[in-house]
Amino acid sequence: MIFDRLQQFRQAAHPLLGRAKNALFDLMDAVLTTAYISSFVMLSLSPLFRRQWPSLYKALQDGRPQRNKLMRLYIEQIPTDQRPVLAGDHTNYPRLEAKTLKDRTYEHQPTLIPGNKPITIGQGYSTIAWVPEGAGSWALPLRHERITSFESPISKAVFQLKQVSRQLSVRPIVLYDSEFGNGKFAQQTLDIAADILVRLRSNICLWGAPPVYSGKGRPRVHGDKFKLNDPTTWPTPDETLQVEDPKLGTVTVRQWHGLHFRKSSQRPIRVLSIDCQSRAGRPRLRPLWIAWMGDPPPPLAQLWPQYLRRGAIDHWYRFAKQRLHWTVPNLETPQQAERWSDLMPLITWQLWLARDGVQDSPLPWQKPQTNLTPGRVAQGFAAILTQLGTPAGPPKPRGKSPGWPAGKSRKQRTRYPMVKKGFTRTKKAAKTAA
């Protein structure tokens, strides 16, 4: 049967959801087969959710998805005949008016209005995902966790990368955006068994290897300055490549060896400049700067296209928020939001395992697809569930709740202040008078 692997995956994942595993599994099936909702409670109207609407919230209160075991289950689905390509990033779960939600912080959110601050109020989530294809919108999360107020996106990304790399049998290539292209991230990932390809901001400075020690004074730590937006500081590239790409046109790739960040002089990096020439009817793109940190990289012709796969994780964030209804629930506690978020990777992996057996059924205004996207697989997933069934047990009626006792007073919920993250700079010692 073509769906044997999917059925085995669902059977293995069911006991890993904790005490409310049956209700959580029904909730996942309801998400997979419900394209549009206006509120979280509407998922209880799905015929696949066999319980009453209060069980939605009760499941998120009682459930305890086991993240580490689920991560190992996901990694078992990754083929070992080639190096896995991972991508890491973070996004926001906006809760602007939730004054009773604990641990709210300011989170980054792009805005289209000029002059507006690109922030929102809510909670941040960090994700590391496997990107299975060189082109497409598939990104399969291995860990998707909340960034608490005492953590930063960098510290959370380092933690997730450590957890994942320990379970992989093949050294991965991990892709990150420019937020992680700094010495702090390079230093903290020095001992992790993974090769990192990260984008660099065009206004940063790197440094070359120090010259040979002259025997006088303190040995130099840094060599010549390499400023990305100042071509006069660039030495002759160690490697140069020019290729014709069907989408980008003429691509010129230059590579420099032996550079490092100022705060991570112990970790040498290779810097690549990717310049796309202008084409008829298209403006010239700005050069893309990326850095390789880790073991010797593959040939330059194979290396530079790898970073183009990082955009798949942005597609997944959009898919989770729009189709999987990730940010629809206004849950009471951060713990409930975390348990709800733990279901997003599990739902995505089920769509991936079902992709080869789903027949494309486009709506009248949609174009047919050969390589199905996650949203297109979700359109046909209801037919698969009629064949597979569910490992979740049926509901057990417990009678009618007596309701709120008469005369018992209600207490107002606690209001929590906003948590503003910050950092402290080392104060310079005051000069003492001679």
Side-chain angles (χ1 to χ4, degrees), residues 2 36 91 174 180 212 237 246 257-258 267 273 287 297 300-301 304 336 344 376 399:
I2 191 172
Y36 306 102
T91 189
V174 195
F180 303 89
V212 179
H257 303 169
R267 185 165 200 183
S273 170
L300 196 57
W304 76 268
Q336 291 175 340
M344 298 297 109
R376 195 60 66 86

Side-chain angles (χ1 to χ4, degrees), residues 272-288:
L272 283 74
S273 170
I274 304 173
D275 192 2
C276 302
Q277 302 294 332
S278 59
R279 300 178 61 185
R282 287 189 177 184
R284 180 185 176 93
L285 300 177
R286 292 187 300 174
L288 174 67

